[in-house]
Amino acid sequence: GSERTELGRMDGGDRAALIAGEIQSILGEVERDVAHYARLTIAGRLLALAMERFREKSQGPILKKASEVFYRITCGSFEGLRADHDPDGNPVLVGVRKQGRETVSVEGMSDGTADQLYLSLRLAGLEHYLDLNEPMPFIVDDILIKFDNARASAALQALAELSKRTQVIFFTHHGHLVELAAQSLPESILIEHHLNGK
């Protein structure tokens, strides 16, 4: 009886052949989908690499100049700046360290370094403006508060270089910055005016 039952279970007619055919059809679809996915993934990666090469090659003069100034006023702590993308694919600006192998987002920078990034962008933007337009005064008010002495000195030197192209007016109520400017800058560039404290 058990043999007849087992034989009855095996006798499914063409049902087994239909299931085997469905399995083969599904396997064929999966293979096509995997091949299509692989092609799309490779094409996406190649497109991203081509875009990165184009961005590096076509890097604008402002970003290039800002990168040089940022390197200088961070005293080499950062090698420069680079346009990048966040995890959502939005363009962002990042600081570059260690021969381009490490990047730091603006959110990951200290307040002082973020201020140095902003100053670098402003100086680069102004220099670009001066390349195309008449000079105009550049007025800044206590922009070095969060800078240590080395970076403040480097920033003052960058402002002194800019003063060769346009007038730079630097306001501060911090006496140590005036002393630092006197130590860092040539006498021919620095003109001090002390306002009466009335």
Side-chain angles (χ1 to χ4, degrees):
S2 65
E3 288 175 1
R4 276 195 211 109
T5 304
E6 188 65 31
L7 193 59
R9 265 194 257 165
M10 293 172 136
D11 186 18
D14 62 349
R15 187 166 179 253
L18 289 172
I19 293 172
E22 286 178 23
I23 290 171
Q24 290 303 319
S25 174
I26 291 170
L27 282 175
E29 288 176 19
V30 168
E31 285 177 9
R32 281 191 302 274
D33 289 346
V34 166
H36 185 66
Y37 175 78
R39 279 193 300 273
L40 288 176
T41 302
I42 291 168
R45 183 70 183 133
L46 289 174
L47 181 60
L49 287 171
M51 288 171 57
E52 181 65 27
R53 273 194 223 115
F54 177 78
R55 185 173 32 250
E56 287 175 6
K57 182 181 176 184
S58 305
Q59 194 173 40
I62 294 177
L63 184 57
K64 183 178 179 189
K65 180 63 179 175
S67 189
E68 292 167 4
V69 174
F70 190 59
Y71 168 77
R72 189 168 159 201
I73 65 176
T74 59
C75 299
S77 176
F78 285 85
E79 291 185 353
L81 301 169
R82 182 171 68 209
D84 207 347
H85 289 92
D86 67 10
D88 297 327
N90 300 315
V92 293
L93 191 62
V94 295
V96 179
R97 286 188 166 160
K98 296 184 181 175
Q99 299 172 343
R101 284 178 268 161
E102 181 185 345
T103 60
V104 180
S105 68
V106 176
E107 293 81 16
M109 295 178 184
S110 68
D111 288 344
T113 303
D115 285 353
Q116 290 146 21
L117 169 62
Y118 178 75
L119 178 60
S120 299
L121 292 168
R122 293 295 298 148
L123 293 177
L126 183 58
E127 287 205 20
H128 183 70
Y129 174 87
L130 293 172
D131 289 340
L132 306 171
N133 299 284
E134 291 292 317
M136 66 177 187
F138 182 55
I139 302 171
V140 291
D141 185 11
D142 267 337
I143 58 170
L144 307 179
I145 294 173
K146 296 178 184 173
F147 290 33
D148 61 27
N149 282 351
R151 291 185 179 195
S153 178
L156 287 167
Q157 290 170 10
L159 290 171
E161 279 186 23
L162 180 64
S163 74
K164 295 174 183 174
R165 299 188 67 190
T166 189
Q167 183 181 24
V168 176
I169 301 170
F170 179 84
F171 290 103
T172 186
H173 66 279
H174 294 281
H176 77 280
L177 290 176
V178 176
E179 293 170 11
L180 191 61
Q183 294 168 4
S184 304
L185 305 177
E187 287 181 24
S188 60
I189 291 179
L190 180 65
I191 301 171
E192 291 181 38
H193 291 285
H194 296 274
L195 301 176
N196 208 347
K198 291 182 181 178

